[in-house]
Amino acid sequence: YYPPPGGGTVIVCAERCAKLPIGDACGCHWGWAGQKVIDLSPAAWAAISDKDRHVYGILTVTVYPD
């Protein structure tokens, strides 16, 4: 566990991009080491995708430092 990055933001892109606040951070990963997982709030999901999050659950995104 790493302490929260304190009010930082990232740009998260799927069907469209949104600047989102970082709520927490960790060195965790899923799959191979280059694959990172982010947990999007319902509002953040809606900001980057029109897909139903209850149907899809997982969405491929690209995360850029802000």
Side-chain angles (χ1 to χ4, degrees), residues 15-59:
E15 296 166 22
R16 55 190 167 269
C17 297
K19 183 176 182 177
L20 302 173
I22 300 171
D24 199 355
C26 74
C28 51
H29 69 274
W30 175 78
W32 49 278
Q35 291 177 305
K36 299 292 182 186
V37 175
I38 61 174
D39 187 9
L40 298 172
S41 69
W45 181 290
I48 64 167
S49 177
D50 292 324
K51 292 181 179 177
D52 184 334
R53 68 186 188 93
H54 296 291
V55 173
Y56 289 91
I58 296 174
L59 184 66

Side-chain angles (χ1 to χ4, degrees), residues 7-12 18-22 63-66:
T9 58
V10 290
I11 305 295
V12 180
K19 183 176 182 177
L20 302 173
I22 300 171
V63 179
Y64 301 98
D66 183 40

